[in-house]
Amino acid sequence: MNLERYEYEKNATRHEYEFYSIGPKGPILKVVRFDLKVTDGVPYFYLSFGDWDEKEKWLNDTIVSNNGDAEKVLGTVANIILSFTEQFPDSLVYAEGSTMARTRRYQMGISKLWNEIYTVFDVYGLTADNRWKAFEKNVNYEAFLIRRKKCNFK
Amino acid sequence: MSTKQEHTSTNELSLGKIDTSCKINYNMRDYSNDPFVIRKGEAAQRRLEKVGFPKEVLEQLGLPPKE
């Protein structure tokens, strides 16, 4: 997973990450956040990934940045997930887009990096009939659960 | 902005070394109460209450599968 990525920073709790997308639209602050929740006795971190909207003063993941660096942004988010799960190796990470289109972008991103991702993570996709399946390329999913493979720990 | 360079961290995996080093920013904005983050959490909770978790995950945690 030696992808091109942006430099990023994390906060002291290591649950929040920031980086700037740099492109024709100027610098855009991107935020990745992991929050712990427990459902049915299972602890997991849900992932929030969005752009900081300076005008509205909140995060937004419905903006299409078109900053010409989608692959580098994706590589940065993948690297952040790696960083986070390095510090919290048993964590289960849940991700879904705010819209179907956004979830498809996540799916395409995972597919694109699949040869690298599968060596590091177990990835489950939620199918339209509400079943979790091991991720496969060219299958549409509505959400994802990601867990670091035990055998790859340092 | 107060930042500190964290020790260099690399993940040695089958595809080589992956550098995950970054700075810690002690003055980062707190997004925990951002409406977007709260909505994401509510959506995750609703979805997972409905569909449960993969059986492999539940097995590892020693939990029974969702009915």
Side-chain angles (χ1 to χ4, degrees):
Chain A
M1 211 187 292
N2 284 318
L3 299 166
E4 192 184 13
R5 69 160 171 111
Y6 287 109
E7 291 296 312
Y8 56 82
E9 294 180 347
K10 58 188 168 188
N11 70 359
T13 68
R14 291 143 168 96
H15 285 193
E16 205 155 74
Y17 296 73
E18 288 181 344
F19 65 95
Y20 281 93
S21 154
I22 308 293
K25 301 278 177 70
I28 298 170
L29 178 58
K30 305 269 185 185
V31 177
V32 178
R33 187 179 160 87
F34 301 87
D35 281 276
L36 181 63
K37 252 191 186 312
V38 179
T39 298
D40 294 340
V42 180
Y44 61 95
F45 289 90
Y46 67 90
L47 183 147
S48 305
F49 170 51
D51 292 3
W52 175 249
D53 187 330
E54 186 59 38
K55 189 178 166 195
E56 301 291 344
K57 302 289 182 197
W58 62 38
L59 290 171
N60 191 334
D61 84 336
T62 58
I63 299 169
V64 179
S65 306
N66 280 332
N67 219 10
D69 60 349
E71 205 153 305
K72 192 168 178 179
V73 167
L74 183 67
T76 309
V77 174
N79 194 286
I80 286 171
I81 294 173
L82 190 61
S83 167
F84 179 78
T85 57
E86 182 184 41
Q87 292 163 85
F88 303 98
D90 293 325
S91 59
L92 188 63
V93 176
Y94 174 87
E96 71 170 285
S98 293
T99 62
M100 289 297 283
R102 184 64 60 158
T103 303
R104 285 292 167 271
R105 289 170 82 98
Y106 290 175
Q107 181 181 323
M108 288 189 293
I110 295 170
S111 294
K112 203 164 194 173
L113 304 178
W114 184 241
N115 288 344
E116 288 81 16
I117 287 174
Y118 90 93
T119 64
V120 187
F121 297 106
D122 290 320
V123 182
Y124 303 94
L126 183 67
T127 56
D129 60 353
N130 288 332
R131 292 173 191 275
W132 288 107
K133 299 277 178 63
F135 182 90
E136 288 178 44
K137 287 183 178 180
N138 304 316
V139 177
N140 287 339
Y141 299 107
E142 301 192 351
F144 306 94
L145 276 167
I146 301 161
R147 184 176 57 173
R148 202 169 165 127
K149 287 180 192 285
K150 300 281 182 199
C151 58
N152 280 312
F153 292 159
K154 275 170 68 178
Chain B
M1 185 186 290
S2 169
T3 59
K4 184 177 114 182
Q5 179 68 47
E6 201 173 46
H7 66 88
T8 300
S9 172
T10 56
N11 287 263
E12 290 188 52
L13 302 167
S14 59
L15 291 170
K17 290 184 178 179
I18 299 166
D19 179 11
T20 56
S21 60
C22 67
K23 291 178 180 171
I24 296 178
N25 181 348
Y26 292 96
N27 297 319
M28 191 176 286
R29 185 182 283 117
D30 178 8
Y31 299 98
S32 57
N33 291 318
D34 189 285
F36 168 70
V37 172
I38 292 168
R39 276 200 311 274
K40 294 292 280 188
E42 290 169 349
Q45 178 106 24
R46 267 198 310 275
R47 173 90 77 173
L48 290 168
E49 279 174 352
K50 182 179 172 191
V51 304
F53 291 85
K55 65 178 190 313
E56 295 88 345
V57 170
L58 295 173
E59 281 169 9
Q60 194 178 53
L61 293 170
L63 294 170
K66 197 174 177 75
E67 294 297 320

